[in-house]
């Protein structure tokens, strides 16, 4: 199983709750899930994993680099699988929907701005808070 090898590569022991949570994150339609979202999805699949276990496993996954935690303003933490690809986010303030996007122009401009101030851009996190036009 792919999940087993991913857990071992991350230095984590393969346990049923870890496998189930990793499978849930991998197969979920929603890419950004809170611990509560993961817990509800597991319950709907008749998986017996407690909410405290979900929180603990997601924290372990974050420390191991398997997931990335985002704390968007006005909301609770959400997690997404760390797939290695960089992207930025837009958060719809009315629906809390998280939309991923990439923009080579924005990436280039961020590097240029850092350079103009005498710095090398090491990392960044861009979140745009949006609303549908009326």
């Amino acid at each position: 199983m792919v999940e087993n090898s991913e857990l071992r590569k991350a230095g984590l022991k393969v346990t049923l709750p870890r496998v189930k949570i990793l499978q849930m994150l991998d197969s979920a339609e929603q890419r950004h899930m809170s611990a509560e979202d993961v817990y509800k999805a597991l319950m709907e699949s008749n998986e017996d994993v407690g909410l405290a276990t979900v929180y603990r496993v997601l924290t372990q996954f974050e420390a191991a680099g398997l997931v990335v935690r985002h704390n968007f303003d006005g909301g609770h933490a959400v997690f997404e699988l760390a797939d290695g690809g960089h992207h930025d986010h837009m958060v719809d303030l009315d629906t809390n929907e998280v939309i991923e996007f990439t923009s080579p122009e924005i990436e280039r401009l961020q590097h240029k701005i850092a350079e103009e101030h005498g710095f090398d851009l090491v990392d960044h996190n861009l979140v745009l808070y949006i609303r549908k036009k009326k």
Side-chain angles (χ1 to χ4, degrees):
M1 275 182 116
V2 175
E3 290 85 7
N4 291 1
S5 65
E6 286 182 49
L7 289 170
R8 285 192 193 100
K9 265 195 300 191
L12 295 171
K13 185 176 167 188
V14 177
T15 64
L16 190 57
R18 286 180 181 150
V19 170
K20 294 294 182 191
I21 292 168
L22 193 55
Q23 285 174 338
M24 183 60 61
L25 289 169
D26 191 38
S27 65
E29 188 175 306
Q30 186 180 347
R31 231 179 101 72
H32 301 83
M33 298 179 76
S34 69
E36 292 83 3
D37 293 333
V38 173
Y39 174 71
K40 286 177 194 167
L42 289 167
M43 296 310 302
E44 289 169 7
S45 299
N46 293 318
E47 299 294 344
D48 188 23
V49 179
L51 182 57
T53 300
V54 172
Y55 275 106
R56 186 174 58 255
V57 168
L58 288 172
T59 300
Q60 292 166 348
F61 284 1
E62 180 186 14
L66 290 173
V67 300
V68 177
R69 175 193 306 251
H70 299 285
N71 292 300
F72 299 126
D73 288 351
H76 45 279
V78 293
F79 299 84
E80 69 175 308
L81 286 177
D83 59 12
H86 173 75
H87 57 268
D88 296 306
H89 298 93
M90 292 188 290
V91 178
D92 185 319
L93 293 172
D94 296 321
T95 65
N96 290 323
E97 178 186 8
V98 179
I99 302 160
E100 295 179 354
F101 73 96
T102 57
S103 170
E105 185 177 351
I106 289 174
E107 297 302 315
R108 182 189 55 72
L109 187 56
Q110 290 174 120
H111 283 277
K112 182 181 177 216
I113 291 168
E115 196 171 296
E116 287 173 355
H117 287 86
F119 296 96
D120 288 324
L121 181 62
V122 177
D123 193 13
H124 77 277
N125 182 15
L126 176 64
V127 181
L128 304 176
Y129 295 94
I130 60 172
R131 279 203 168 96
K132 288 271 188 211
K133 288 186 176 187
K134 296 187 183 199

